[in-house]
Amino acid sequence: MPYTAFSAKQSYIEEHPDVIQGFTNALQKGMDYVQAHTPDEIASVIEPQFTETDLETITTIVTRYYDQDTWKSNLIFEESSFDLLQDILESAGELPERVPYDDLVTTQFAAVAAQ
């Protein structure tokens, strides 16, 4: 299940596909970096974003994520993940009715970025 998700109105997607693709490409570039580098390298790059945490702790956390294979290799939001998200929301009483995957999820930009 995705930990972070991004959304945009259909009208914005239709009017600004270049912005959506550029944003998606940038996120994929970060994911590619994670796939191609060690936890030490990743920790060193992200360290400036965590000014109150020492590099050793950041490295430990990144190593844990790395060892658990936490990071996906692409941004494609699969239907099974969407269903799991809806299951969680439903069981928490936060989803009054399920929504069809194809009505809410667009993977075309992620598919291009993953190439």
Side-chain angles (χ1 to χ4, degrees):
M1 185 178 100
Y3 182 79
T4 304
F6 300 93
S7 63
K9 289 184 174 183
Q10 185 65 37
S11 59
Y12 187 86
I13 294 170
E14 290 170 0
E15 293 171 20
H16 305 284
D18 55 326
V19 173
I20 299 295
Q21 191 63 65
F23 181 76
T24 306
N25 291 350
L27 291 172
Q28 183 63 54
K29 186 175 179 181
M31 293 179 81
D32 293 344
Y33 182 89
V34 167
Q35 295 295 318
H37 291 82
T38 68
D40 289 335
E41 293 168 321
I42 296 165
S44 293
V45 168
I46 66 172
E47 180 185 19
Q49 302 302 312
F50 301 94
T51 55
E52 296 180 8
T53 308
D54 62 87
L55 181 58
E56 183 179 341
T57 300
I58 295 169
T59 303
T60 298
I61 293 166
V62 171
T63 300
R64 186 177 308 132
Y65 283 175
Y66 196 87
D67 291 345
Q68 293 171 346
D69 196 24
T70 299
W71 291 299
K72 288 182 59 177
S73 62
N74 64 61
L75 296 162
I76 297 170
F77 188 24
E78 293 93 359
E79 190 166 1
S80 61
S81 296
F82 182 74
D83 290 340
L84 177 58
L85 176 59
Q86 290 195 97
D87 290 346
I88 293 167
L89 293 171
E90 198 171 54
S91 68
E94 298 295 327
L95 185 65
E97 67 180 74
R98 295 179 82 84
V99 179
Y101 173 81
D102 292 332
D103 288 355
L104 198 59
V105 177
T106 301
T107 61
Q108 69 190 55
F109 300 100
V112 169
Q115 294 177 356

